[in-house]
Amino acid sequence: MTADFEEQLRAVSLRVTRPRLAVLAALRDHPHVDTETVIALVRAELPSVSHQAVYDVLRALTDAGLVRRIQPAGANARYETRVGDNHHHVVCRSCGAIADVDCTVGHAPCLTASDDHGFMIDEAEVVFWGTCPDCAAETTPNDQRARKASR
Ligand SMILES: [Zn+2]
Ligand SMILES: [Zn+2]
């Protein structure tokens, strides 16, 4: 597993360091987490790594294209290691949970704008907003009545 990450780092001419490997592993296991969560995950493995070091690693990995940074409107930036496929996200308005949504029509079709206005388009951002199953279950009126009754 880490051998893969070492290869990825070398492929983009980044030195292989333990903090970089730890950030990649944290994001593989916990996609779409914010900076604070990445810091907590990395420091659980490597307590000596500073906050600033994690910020620097995230920026270096994002700049190198190994990590994708997404920022839904009104939310903190989130990071993931699934890069290069222009996949979309569905975000819960209530708790902020995020899940991946593949392009529905073949390979990265959303890069084909109906009218590109002469732009060289290299990225399209589509965010689906809604309520996740957990939050939906909590706000179902029947559910609330049932819970009150059981108290
Ligand atoms: Zn939710
Ligand atoms: Zn994603």
Side-chain angles (χ1 to χ4, degrees):
M1 290 284 200
T2 43
D4 278 0
F5 293 145
E6 287 177 23
E7 235 166 71
Q8 287 180 19
L9 287 168
R10 290 203 187 92
V12 294
S13 307
L14 283 181
R15 212 155 45 83
V16 175
T17 65
R18 293 186 68 197
R20 284 174 181 166
L21 294 175
V23 167
L24 287 169
L27 289 175
R28 176 198 58 205
D29 296 340
H30 305 271
H32 312 127
V33 290
D34 63 9
T35 308
E36 289 308 309
T37 308
V38 175
I39 290 170
L41 290 165
V42 168
R43 285 165 63 96
E45 294 288 314
L46 305 170
S48 62
V49 175
S50 69
H51 286 222
Q52 189 58 47
V54 175
Y55 285 117
D56 292 346
V57 168
L58 280 172
R59 194 171 50 232
L61 294 177
T62 305
D63 288 349
L66 296 185
V67 164
R68 179 174 170 193
R69 180 182 191 273
I70 56 168
Q71 184 148 26
N76 291 333
R78 312 292 191 95
Y79 297 89
E80 64 184 339
T81 50
R82 183 178 164 182
V83 296
D85 65 353
N86 198 60
H87 70 271
H88 311 312
H89 294 99
V90 58
V91 184
C92 176
R93 288 186 193 284
S94 182
C95 71
I98 298 183
D100 287 337
V101 179
D102 291 335
C103 285
T104 45
V105 208
H107 182 68
C110 303
L111 291 180
T112 312
S114 53
D115 180 355
D116 63 16
H117 297 275
F119 283 50
M120 296 270 292
I121 293 173
D122 59 28
E123 186 175 350
E125 189 174 280
V126 177
V127 178
F128 302 95
W129 292 89
T131 307
C132 78
D134 287 350
C135 290
E138 271 183 26
T139 52
T140 304
N142 283 339
D143 202 55
Q144 280 177 349
R145 247 177 270 133
R147 229 175 292 159
K148 260 182 209 142
S150 70
R151 266 184 208 138

